[in-house]
Amino acid sequence: MAFDANKNMITAAFVQQFHDSFEIATQQKDSRLQGAVHDRGQITGSAFTINDMGTIEMNQITTRFGDTVWDVPEAGTRNALMADYGLFVPVEKRDLRKLIANPQGPYMALTLSACNRKKDDVIYRALIDAIPRKTEDNGAYTNVALPATQKIVAGGTGMTKAKLIAAKAMFRRNECDEQNGEELYFTYNADMLTQILSDTTLTSADFMAVKMLQEGALSTKWLGFNWIAYEKLDVTGTATTAAAWCKSAVHFGTGAEYNIDIGPRRDKNNTIQISVDASYGAGRANESKVVAIDFVG
């Protein structure tokens, strides 16, 4: 088993007096996407609902004392399921005596980082995956996928200027951009960053802030989007799927947030075990507020 092959890692890391300058392995430590969606806070139960409603328009009245004409907007209820997650880390009891510093500090940082990354995974999946929706109280739920009209295909090319402009135009066309008080967000990974910074049409003064060229990073706000680094974008064949969305497009809920338990495992020779559990759920509220952009990495 994988655990047997790595059972001496803790001892090897700490016996050599590296405990006073222990460095956590390179990783994403914070949740980057949670602040970019509508946070519903604490959720009780196994799921929460998201209500959506279509638009209606004013009609001209041409007949005096005519019949009332009703305009009933389309409405539906979506079901965002909660899921439980856990993490269990063993700390050899004999290793505690070899340390000046308590190892639970860096280990707790590792587990907290894992929880925050899981939040981002849940939110990203909610952006691009189907969500159960019903239109009647007693009706059945039907999975609603992100429609083809909200997707920009790879077309055998990387992340180009044309794709970025097309994504921005979709939000304008759907009346869900900054003109309507929406905050727009865009995920990117290392491959996408390389392509954008290497594109001379995008790195010209007309398209990119000087600061972006100086720092070699995407500006926090560019082309109307807030850019968020996320390295776990879906890869299908040669195509990678980035997501652009409005803050109101996804609802995120927390059932249990980072519950911690530290104690001895009697069945494992009193090995100290750090255990963490959490419960998260997210669901897309409106397909018109999400755009999936495929590119060749």
Side-chain angles (χ1 to χ4, degrees):
M1 297 176 62
F3 172 76
D4 292 334
N6 298 322
K7 62 185 179 181
N8 293 322
M9 288 181 61
I10 296 175
T11 302
F14 289 119
V15 167
Q16 302 176 47
Q17 297 295 317
F18 289 146
H19 52 269
D20 54 349
S21 59
F22 184 82
E23 293 184 1
I24 297 175
T26 302
Q27 61 185 318
Q28 177 188 332
K29 302 175 185 178
D30 301 318
S31 173
R32 297 169 182 162
L33 302 185
Q34 185 177 4
V37 297
H38 177 59
D39 196 336
R40 294 278 291 269
Q42 196 71 28
I43 300 297
T44 301
S46 61
F48 64 93
T49 59
I50 306 169
N51 295 324
D52 62 56
M53 184 173 292
T55 60
I56 54 177
E57 299 292 343
M58 295 288 290
N59 297 310
Q60 183 179 3
I61 299 176
T62 58
T63 304
R64 298 184 67 191
F65 308 112
D67 292 337
T68 300
V69 178
W70 287 338
D71 287 286
V72 180
E74 183 193 10
T77 299
R78 296 155 185 260
N79 194 37
L81 299 176
M82 304 297 293
D84 299 322
Y85 303 95
L87 178 65
F88 304 90
V89 181
V91 179
E92 172 60 53
K93 184 178 180 181
R94 284 179 291 269
D95 288 337
L96 297 178
R97 297 190 294 267
K98 302 172 185 175
L99 306 180
I100 298 175
N102 193 318
Q104 292 171 2
Y107 274 93
M108 297 309 292
L110 285 171
T111 58
L112 180 59
S113 298
C115 281
N116 285 332
R117 290 196 301 273
K118 181 53 64 178
K119 293 179 182 179
D120 290 354
D121 296 343
V122 171
I123 292 171
Y124 176 74
R125 296 257 57 97
L127 284 165
I128 63 176
D129 286 352
I131 181 172
R133 179 180 184 264
K134 64 179 181 178
T135 56
E136 299 177 5
D137 286 342
N138 297 323
Y141 282 101
T142 302
N143 283 337
V144 177
L146 192 66
T149 54
Q150 293 299 117
K151 297 180 180 179
I152 299 174
V153 297
T157 63
M159 186 57 66
T160 63
K161 178 181 67 174
K163 290 180 180 180
L164 297 176
I165 293 175
K168 186 66 191 310
M170 284 186 182
F171 290 104
R172 175 81 299 275
R173 189 177 300 113
N174 295 337
E175 291 285 356
C176 55
D177 59 3
E178 62 274 3
Q179 297 296 323
N180 294 73
E182 292 279 6
E183 277 286 317
L184 301 180
Y185 296 87
F186 210 125
T187 57
Y188 71 94
N189 65 0
D191 292 335
M192 185 172 162
L193 172 66
T194 301
Q195 292 176 5
I196 290 177
L197 292 178
S198 300
D199 190 334
T200 56
T201 63
L202 292 174
T203 55
S204 68
D206 293 334
F207 289 95
M208 183 176 285
V210 174
K211 180 181 178 182
M212 295 170 67
L213 291 175
Q214 293 174 337
E215 297 181 356
L218 291 180
S219 176
T220 304
K221 192 72 172 283
W222 179 50
L223 289 177
F225 294 104
N226 295 285
W227 293 80
I228 301 178
Y230 180 70
E231 289 297 324
K232 298 168 73 174
L233 301 178
D234 268 7
V235 178
T236 305
T238 60
T240 302
T241 303
W245 71 97
C246 303
K247 185 170 185 176
S248 60
V250 169
H251 291 211
F252 175 80
T254 303
E257 174 71 295
Y258 197 63
N259 294 319
I260 312 163
D261 180 70
I262 304 173
R265 284 284 304 272
R266 307 299 182 191
D267 60 331
K268 295 294 182 181
N269 197 25
N270 283 334
T271 296
I272 301 300
Q273 176 177 283
I274 302 173
S275 62
V276 179
D277 65 87
S279 177
Y280 305 124
R284 189 173 57 248
N286 192 316
E287 281 65 50
S288 297
K289 295 184 176 182
V290 178
V291 177
I293 307 96
D294 287 351
F295 65 97
V296 176

